[in-house]
Amino acid sequence: MGMYPAGNLVKITPDDLNAAAYTEGDVIFAKQEIASAVPSRGGCSLLSNVTMFVEGAATDDDLALLFFDNSTALGEPAADPASDITADEFRAAGCIGMIKFDGGASAIAVGNGRLYSGTYDSVSGNMPLLLKAAVGQTSIWVACVQYAGTLDLVDTDSLTLSLGFKHLG
């Protein structure tokens, strides 16, 4: 009997959002665990799509999702500048990938915010993204940094994230 492709859709509302204005280079949310992102300890998954609704976002708000293979703190909490993260802290954080979202090109206006979408794009090469968990882990962690614009989050649940994984083993 063969294996059948499997996957998982994970929804996250970060638990450290601040209802505040963020500027270019700020950490929007620090590491959040994506439990069971891979099917087996130390396994791999293909991140095939990402949808993120950000209440209060505008067309000039460009965001980056950073993916990690451990829970080591990023070095700065939410609403602090990512530039304050040292090289040693970033290396220890275990970054394994990044996806960039252009607020004008990869998002549409919905309500009082933007719906960002990441799927395979032969121009940007953002997706799919191969993610491998650390030995003994089935979790991956995600953080968000604003790399352009001035984001004004409406409240502490202004951002929701849906991640579609295809399990590889």
Side-chain angles (χ1 to χ4, degrees):
M1 214 185 278
M3 288 186 59
Y4 294 96
N8 196 9
L9 180 64
V10 179
K11 295 183 179 184
I12 298 172
T13 299
D15 59 12
D16 62 345
L17 292 175
N18 294 305
Y22 294 81
T23 58
E24 184 176 320
D26 281 352
V27 175
I28 303 299
F29 62 83
K31 284 185 173 181
Q32 304 288 307
E33 183 176 11
I34 307 168
S36 301
V38 302
S40 59
R41 295 178 188 273
C44 291
S45 283
L46 201 60
L47 181 59
S48 57
N49 66 333
V50 176
T51 304
M52 180 169 51
F53 177 68
V54 184
E55 195 175 0
T59 56
D60 66 340
D61 291 323
D62 299 338
L63 305 174
L65 291 177
L66 307 176
F67 295 89
F68 303 89
D69 67 0
N70 67 56
S71 62
T72 303
L74 193 50
E76 287 299 316
D80 278 8
S83 61
D84 288 349
I85 300 168
T86 69
D88 287 341
E89 288 171 330
F90 193 73
R91 275 191 293 275
C95 187
I96 56 173
M98 178 184 80
I99 299 173
K100 291 170 52 176
F101 295 97
D102 181 301
S106 59
I108 62 168
V110 176
N112 64 338
R114 307 279 303 158
L115 184 64
Y116 294 81
S117 179
T119 55
Y120 177 71
D121 172 344
S122 61
V123 176
S124 70
N126 262 344
M127 307 278 291
L129 186 62
L130 182 64
L131 298 171
K132 182 179 182 346
V135 173
Q137 293 286 336
T138 59
S139 292
I140 299 291
W141 287 261
V142 62
C144 184
V145 173
Q146 177 157 355
Y147 68 91
T150 304
L151 177 62
D152 190 9
L153 289 183
V154 177
D155 53 42
T156 58
D157 64 353
S158 291
L159 189 150
T160 55
L161 186 61
S162 295
L163 303 128
F165 294 96
K166 180 179 178 184
H167 292 162
L168 300 177

